[in-house]
Amino acid sequence: MAVPEQHESRRPSTGAVADVVLGLFMVAVFGWAFLEAADWSFKAALFPRIVTGLGFTVALLQVVQSLLRLARGRRAAADPTPATSPAGPIGPVPGAAPAEAVPQAAGTTSEDDVNEDDVEYVFQTAGARRWTEAVAWVTAFFVLLYVAGLFVTAPLFSFLYLRFAGRRTWVFCAIYAVVVGVVLYAAFELALGIPVPPGLFLD
Amino acid sequence: MNTAMPYRRSLRSLIALGVGAGVLSGCSSDSEPAASGGGDCASLEGETITIVVPYEPGGGYDSYTRLVAPYLEEEIGATIAVQNQPGAGGLLALNSLRAEDADGTKLAIMNGVGAGGSSIAGAEGADFALDDFTYIGRVASDPSLLVTSAAGEYQTFDDILAADEFRWGSTGPGAEDYVTSSLISAVFDIPGEVVTGFPGSGETELAVVQGSIDGMSGNLTSRRGAVEDGTQTPVLVVGEESPDWLSDDVPTVAELDTTEEQAELLDAHLALIELGRPFIGPPGMDEAATSCLRTAMAAAMENPELVQESEEQERELAFLPGDELEGLVQDLMDAPPAYSELLATLY
Amino acid sequence: MLSEAISGLTQVFQPLPLALMLLGVAIGFVVGILPGLGGAVTLALMLPFTFDMQPVEAFAFLLGMWVVTSTTGDITSVLFGVPGEATSAATVLDGHPMTKRGEGGRALGAVLFSSALGAVFGALVLALAIPVIRPVVLAFAPPEFFALTMLGLTFVVALSGKHLLKGFIMAAFGLLVALVGLDPQEGTQRYTFEQLYLWDGIGIVPLVVGLFGGAEVLQLMLSKRSIARAEPGATPEASLSGVGQGIRDVLHHWPLVIRSSAIGTGVGIVPGLGGSVAQFMAYGAAQQSSKTPEMFGKGAVEGVIASGAVNNAKDSGSLIPTIGFGIPGGAGSAVLLSAFLIVGLNPGEEMLTTSLDVTFSMIWVTVLANFIAVAAAFFVLKPLTKLTFISGPLLVPFLLLLLALGAYTASNSFADVLVMIVAAIVGVICIRYDWPRVPFLLAVVLGALAERYLFLSYSLFEWDWLTRPIVLAIAAVMVLAIVGPIVRRARARSRVRTAEQKSDVSA
């Protein structure tokens, strides 16, 4: 387990906190699922009990491990003269300190955390505002899809999204919306004849 | 949900993709309104009728529906869309059919043994009674065939009756193979067990051929290949009639010596099997639409082209008019309590 | 046998079968690119058109279409990070990062070329298996299937990357998700929350689409940039010139192609396992044997090659039990089985004797159709690759629609869309907080089967099944698969330690 520790120790502390929270969540899920299996017959419950029991134990281990790491990180941060590293700051500092950049066994090179094209990077650095915006658009899309069906949602959402999130011209958005609508209708309704979300009113 | 596929139309666009027109001439007949049925189809003409298949595409129910739909379409003068809506072993689609508009634009194909049986057994998940639905007509009957491994020690049904321990294979409780084999075991007091958990009938067949289970129950027509191939031995037809391709030595259930008690249970189960695979509509369907659909289906099922096509596909048709199905359902509702009690243990 | 092989080829090379095969390839091409719409469903929809066809014509059409779907599904995976088929999820892992790096052309070249080679390998195995097809199929029973699912699960270790503990948790979570539904032995409802929709379990297609595609779309919405990195040097033209590089990569890694194809064919034979498992077994094996396992998931061309080859080899594998016994190896071959009956063929002995030429024509079709599709794909690569260089927001509505439709068409229920959304949330959390997704998916696919086959093995053979030769052989492979990486890791660690000691001394 030396490898992940090495890696974790130089992550921002939000990562360690998240590991604890997610770990606890998994503990709760497995615990609930284990109890849920109590009423079932032996055959039906055997596999669930094994799976959830194992899951519960491993998740608990993970929580303990992340807590330990968190505590160690705090201690290191509180202590201004860390004994282990002569080459500068250690602990919850983003970015790799030179001393930590020792080649890791089966792990990864240090650059993987700072590559700008990584999904991880985008998710970590996008601000709260961007997150709110993106999630709101996605929510709107699926609610609209549920309520109004595909053939309304596709052009309408394309139009609104490109106009307000993409900042395109009105004309561009209108053309895009019409093309999307027509192509979808032609492909799914006329050519393939495959059911698509109909919406609440078109049943 | 009226966005489903009017597949006659899609076929034309397919052809437009570039096949020589002659290739598919046999199935590219026109679907313009040609209401020739005697029923009153005014309300349905030009409409889109959806027939829901409660299973994934490609299975027997799906194939039968897609086979008959174009001919029905021709008779009614409506567009018919076949839509797959799998879920809860076929119960989901039937539960939701109960709440649909009863104007004849929403139909389904039902699994008599599977869904009907769960309803009689009062199984969880079946929120309908058999006599809720409006019956249009039966597409096919659904007899089962009991088979054993050709290399095994049980080569006739009498061998099975004499067995000390007979092991059936099945996918799981509530499935047709489980219900039929458990019921036969219970009625004839065959010692042994039903091994459950096979992912599908293919895997069960494999186990029969390998000899790790002694036998199974399965759809009669689907067994044909294996029986002719000689890897599976047919031992009993659980249905009214034996097909031509099966040797006369293979008995049907009715030909067995039974006590009155046994006969009562078997008759009730045969009635359930007789229900087969009918097209059904929501409860209390509009009368004009019902009579239109019934007449149209009766006419469509006699269409020589359909008969020929079904023979080519080895999908035997067995039409039974809607009113006769209703009688059958009534018999089932009046079945002896012993039968529903027995079924209740199997779902 | 040789004369039948030639006769099969000449039967395919008639105008009508060829034309039908081209039509099938065209349909399969489009279906493969669209997420959700799978090969099996399309086969079922096309089945009615074969009623009047001769056997070879029908199979040219259907097989041509079917084998192509998994090839072109990889294109969507590589370019947009949304799996075009449930079997193309592994391609996303490395193919999409390569696209982001501006190496989309190289990734596509590699995945398409190795797909074609995989198809050839699978067809070859199928052809060679003909004399022994029936004994081979008979040798596999539930115990062997169970052993194979366990072998699949051991790849959790390799696929967890640097977070072994998290990988185990995600695998357990995946097994839990696989348990949702009616239990296979007694029909008890497990974790169904009184919802009928959940009786049949969680659908794999919406899960895969959400888990992998959801995060990519959200990322585009957050960054508002093009998929491929916009920097000098990374242009569509430069990316496309990588196609040749991708093909060379495949040739360079030829042992990997053969091993992945072998995994695909082997798993394909097993009824019920299928492509969604095979891809991750091949991917995990590629990672284990790689000299640079740390690059996997960040755009390693080996990962792309493995997932390309495995997909097309598995189709031939799943034809083996279908032809030999009329027992389908998967959903797609189940539909093909109905086609056998429609054209008046009885799978089984007949296909291996009197109709052997038809069997060979099927083998030829799988090879030819793949080559045609790959050749055609190279022509459309240019416009498709350009898409990854246009502004991100332009693609967002299109990709969101792909996600929604991909999920919805799985069983025509909005509940599938909800499953997809939840899977997308899981995927995003996994990426944001560095939890591995792949062990989760692998466990979902394998969990239900593992339970079924374990109980079946016990019901059929009690504990005797543990000593069956094939089971023992698979167990040996499992031990190697677990011990191998641990030894390697330990050795590497001791190397690091020596290096540290040295640097300590020098300091």
Side-chain angles (χ1 to χ4, degrees):
Chain A
M1 285 304 105
V3 179
E5 272 174 34
Q6 234 179 40
H7 176 78
E8 285 302 322
S9 63
R10 57 183 167 74
R11 291 192 71 85
S13 63
T14 47
V17 173
D19 278 355
V20 174
V21 173
L22 289 173
L24 282 174
F25 176 74
M26 295 312 292
V27 167
V29 168
F30 286 123
W32 165 83
F34 188 85
L35 294 178
E36 190 80 347
D39 303 336
W40 302 337
S41 69
F42 173 76
K43 263 187 166 181
L46 180 65
F47 214 69
R49 280 190 196 138
I50 296 174
V51 167
T52 53
L54 278 178
F56 187 83
T57 320
V58 183
L60 212 56
L61 259 176
Q62 153 80 14
V63 169
V64 172
Q65 204 190 39
S66 334
L67 275 177
L68 282 179
R69 195 176 305 141
L70 205 58
R72 211 176 322 141
R74 288 244 166 83
R75 222 178 303 132
D79 184 357
T81 53
T84 43
S85 170
I90 187 182
V93 179
E100 307 286 330
V102 184
Q104 290 168 23
T108 165
T109 45
S110 53
E111 72 202 69
D112 75 292
D113 284 328
V114 286
N115 189 339
E116 275 191 35
D117 292 299
D118 271 355
V119 195
E120 287 140 288
Y121 177 79
V122 173
F123 282 165
Q124 272 171 29
T125 51
R129 184 147 163 262
R130 283 205 160 177
W131 270 98
T132 326
E133 255 180 50
V135 170
W137 278 112
V138 173
T139 316
F141 174 82
F142 285 108
V143 170
L144 194 62
L145 187 70
Y146 181 69
V147 174
L150 178 82
F151 295 127
V152 175
T153 306
L156 191 61
F157 179 84
S158 307
F159 185 83
L160 294 176
Y161 184 80
L162 291 178
R163 180 72 195 94
F164 295 107
R167 310 224 175 271
R168 300 277 160 166
T169 61
W170 290 100
V171 179
F172 181 90
C173 297
I175 294 174
Y176 189 110
V178 169
V179 169
V180 163
V182 168
V183 166
L184 280 181
Y185 189 80
F188 282 87
E189 182 76 12
L190 299 182
L192 292 167
I194 287 166
V196 294
L200 292 178
F201 306 109
L202 237 173
D203 201 356
Chain B
M1 292 284 221
N2 57 357
T3 46
M5 164 183 202
Y7 69 95
R8 211 14 92 79
R9 211 194 300 159
S10 75
L11 177 134
R12 272 195 233 121
S13 51
L14 222 194
I15 292 172
L17 273 176
V19 215
V23 184
L24 302 171
S25 61
C27 34
S28 61
S29 63
D30 214 355
S31 64
E32 293 310 309
S36 57
D40 177 15
C41 285
S43 67
L44 289 176
E45 223 167 278
E47 295 282 311
T48 298
I49 299 176
T50 304
I51 304 183
V52 174
V53 178
Y55 303 96
E56 307 261 337
Y61 289 88
D62 187 59
S63 309
Y64 268 117
T65 312
R66 288 175 198 279
L67 175 68
V68 175
Y71 297 94
L72 198 56
E73 198 171 55
E74 229 171 276
E75 294 293 335
I76 305 170
T79 307
I80 293 189
V82 177
Q83 192 180 89
N84 300 85
Q85 210 184 81
L91 296 179
L92 195 66
L94 294 181
N95 285 341
S96 55
L97 182 69
R98 277 184 69 214
E100 293 288 346
D101 285 342
D103 59 358
T105 56
K106 192 85 169 194
L107 308 175
I109 186 167
M110 182 168 86
N111 172 348
V113 177
S118 342
S119 165
I120 295 174
E124 214 174 329
D127 297 343
F128 52 86
L130 270 183
D131 55 357
D132 280 353
F133 296 114
T134 310
Y135 290 81
I136 314 291
R138 184 179 72 186
V139 181
S141 68
D142 203 5
S144 298
L145 181 66
L146 303 188
V147 291
T148 57
S149 172
E153 51 181 314
Y154 310 103
Q155 295 301 312
T156 64
F157 189 63
D158 288 329
D159 291 346
I160 298 181
L161 288 179
D164 296 328
E165 205 208 341
F166 192 85
R167 294 175 3 131
W168 303 96
S170 105
T171 47
E176 285 150 278
D177 55 357
Y178 182 84
V179 173
T180 302
S181 46
S182 317
L183 193 114
I184 295 288
S185 277
V187 170
F188 291 99
D189 223 357
I190 301 167
E193 60 172 336
V194 182
V195 174
T196 56
F198 287 96
S201 64
E203 285 85 346
T204 325
E205 273 182 78
L206 188 59
V208 171
V209 176
Q210 289 169 339
S212 50
I213 51 173
D214 299 316
M216 67 180 282
S217 153
N219 177 279
L220 179 65
T221 29
S222 319
R223 297 283 85 70
R224 180 171 178 177
V227 168
E228 287 178 347
D229 195 29
T231 51
Q232 296 172 17
T233 310
V235 291
L236 181 69
V237 177
V238 189
E240 307 257 289
E241 279 175 57
S242 191
D244 311 332
W245 53 265
L246 207 58
S247 141
D248 291 335
D249 303 340
V250 183
T252 64
V253 169
E255 291 163 19
L256 298 172
D257 295 326
T258 49
T259 65
E260 205 171 305
E261 224 173 298
Q262 287 173 327
E264 218 174 29
L265 289 170
L266 290 173
D267 283 347
H269 194 61
L270 282 182
L272 187 63
I273 287 176
E274 269 302 282
L275 200 53
R277 306 177 170 196
F279 282 152
I280 58 172
M285 204 160 77
D286 178 62
E287 257 173 56
T290 309
S291 89
C292 156
L293 288 167
R294 280 185 177 174
T295 331
M297 183 165 174
M301 295 295 281
E302 276 174 16
N303 188 327
E305 277 180 49
L306 171 61
V307 173
Q308 195 202 338
E309 207 176 300
S310 76
E311 272 165 16
E312 279 169 13
Q313 286 190 49
E314 295 189 11
R315 296 209 177 273
E316 243 165 286
L317 299 173
F319 178 66
L320 200 65
D323 40 3
E324 283 183 43
L325 283 173
E326 268 169 19
L328 210 54
V329 167
Q330 210 43 57
D331 289 351
L332 275 169
M333 304 301 286
D334 301 337
Y339 180 63
S340 50
E341 281 161 24
L342 182 53
L343 274 192
T345 62
L346 306 181
Y347 283 87
Chain C
M1 205 168 122
L2 194 66
S3 67
E4 274 94 355
I6 294 165
S7 149
L9 183 63
T10 47
Q11 286 184 49
V12 176
F13 265 104
Q14 302 295 319
L16 197 54
L18 267 187
L20 282 168
M21 183 169 80
L22 287 178
L23 178 68
V25 168
I27 297 172
F29 202 100
V30 176
V31 165
I33 286 183
L34 293 175
L37 201 53
V41 175
T42 325
L43 273 182
L45 293 176
M46 294 301 149
L47 211 50
F49 302 122
T50 59
F51 290 163
D52 292 333
M53 295 182 190
Q54 295 298 312
V56 174
E57 296 162 17
F59 287 123
F61 176 59
L62 293 176
L63 265 181
M65 182 177 70
W66 182 48
V67 297
V68 163
T69 51
S70 47
T71 313
T72 56
D74 289 333
I75 297 180
T76 328
S77 304
V78 168
L79 291 180
F80 304 116
V82 181
E85 298 289 307
T87 50
S88 309
T91 319
V92 174
L93 296 173
D94 283 296
H96 194 55
M98 285 180 74
T99 303
K100 286 189 195 162
R101 242 177 12 218
E103 291 188 324
R106 181 179 171 199
L108 284 174
V111 78
L112 289 173
F113 189 59
S114 80
S115 286
L117 292 185
V120 174
F121 181 94
L124 205 62
V125 170
L126 179 54
L128 292 176
I130 282 175
V132 291
I133 209 166
R134 286 167 79 110
V136 165
V137 173
L138 286 183
F140 282 83
E144 284 75 25
F145 299 157
F146 176 72
L148 278 172
T149 59
M150 286 294 113
L151 178 61
L153 278 178
T154 57
F155 285 107
V156 163
V157 179
L159 295 169
S160 300
K162 46 198 192 277
H163 306 294
L164 206 53
L165 214 49
K166 285 180 177 176
F168 282 139
I169 298 175
M170 289 308 285
F173 186 46
L175 290 173
L176 181 61
V177 169
L179 289 172
V180 172
L182 297 186
D183 102 275
Q185 278 78 43
E186 298 173 337
T188 311
Q189 291 187 43
R190 297 192 299 203
Y191 312 117
T192 53
F193 304 99
E194 317 271 306
Q195 294 295 313
L196 278 182
Y197 168 79
L198 291 175
W199 277 28
D200 292 344
I202 305 270
I204 192 73
V205 172
L207 196 74
V208 170
V209 169
L211 198 61
F212 290 91
E216 296 304 331
V217 177
L218 190 66
Q219 186 217 356
L220 270 188
M221 298 181 81
L222 288 172
S223 73
K224 297 196 175 180
R225 295 188 310 168
S226 62
I227 295 179
R229 185 192 296 180
E231 65 180 44
T235 59
E237 288 69 32
S239 167
L240 274 176
S241 67
V243 172
Q245 172 67 36
I247 293 176
R248 278 194 297 279
D249 285 331
V250 174
L251 293 174
H252 179 67
H253 292 286
W254 63 270
L256 180 64
V257 176
I258 291 182
R259 197 179 41 230
S260 310
S261 307
I263 292 176
T265 320
V267 174
I269 298 176
V270 180
L273 275 187
S276 28
V277 178
Q279 56 180 349
F280 289 115
M281 289 176 74
Y283 184 85
Q287 185 171 9
Q288 270 178 355
S289 65
S290 168
K291 289 198 189 78
T292 51
E294 71 276 1
M295 284 311 291
F296 274 68
K298 299 187 180 5
V301 76
E302 291 148 284
V304 178
I305 294 170
S307 27
V310 67
N311 259 340
N312 291 38
K314 69 134 203 314
D315 291 342
S316 299
S318 77
L319 281 177
I320 289 179
T322 317
I323 292 175
F325 282 98
I327 291 165
S333 42
V335 185
L336 274 180
L337 192 60
S338 341
F340 276 93
L341 299 177
I342 289 177
V343 298
L345 283 175
N346 273 331
E349 198 67 48
E350 192 185 308
M351 292 300 294
L352 307 174
T353 50
T354 49
S355 302
L356 189 57
D357 54 335
V358 179
T359 308
F360 269 105
S361 75
M362 294 172 70
I363 295 173
W364 286 114
V365 168
T366 56
V367 174
L368 285 174
N370 261 303
F371 271 95
I372 293 171
V374 167
F378 280 125
F379 281 104
V380 296
L381 282 192
K382 201 167 181 181
L384 285 174
T385 313
K386 272 193 180 146
L387 279 180
T388 64
F389 284 89
I390 67 173
S391 157
L394 280 187
L395 286 175
V396 165
F398 167 73
L399 290 177
L400 271 177
L401 287 166
L402 274 191
L403 288 185
L405 283 171
Y408 187 83
T409 47
S411 71
N412 300 334
S413 152
F414 208 83
D416 287 328
V417 179
L418 293 180
V419 168
M420 188 274 290
I421 296 174
V422 174
I425 294 172
V426 173
V428 169
I429 292 179
C430 281
I431 292 180
R432 173 67 184 82
Y433 297 109
D434 219 359
W435 289 61
R437 289 177 289 180
V438 181
F440 170 72
L441 185 60
L442 191 65
V444 174
V445 181
L446 288 172
L449 287 167
E451 183 186 17
R452 263 178 202 281
Y453 286 129
L454 176 60
F455 276 106
L456 270 179
S457 303
Y458 181 74
S459 306
L460 295 176
F461 306 104
E462 303 213 322
W463 294 113
D464 294 345
W465 62 269
L466 283 167
T467 55
R468 289 166 70 101
I470 301 183
V471 173
L472 289 176
I474 298 174
V477 176
M478 264 166 69
V479 171
L480 284 180
I482 295 177
V483 174
I486 291 178
V487 169
R488 203 134 34 110
R489 232 175 252 200
R491 211 180 285 160
R493 203 176 300 155
S494 72
R495 235 193 340 255
V496 171
R497 212 169 290 137
T498 349
E500 272 173 2
Q501 278 162 3
K502 268 188 199 145
S503 65
D504 280 353
V505 173
S506 62

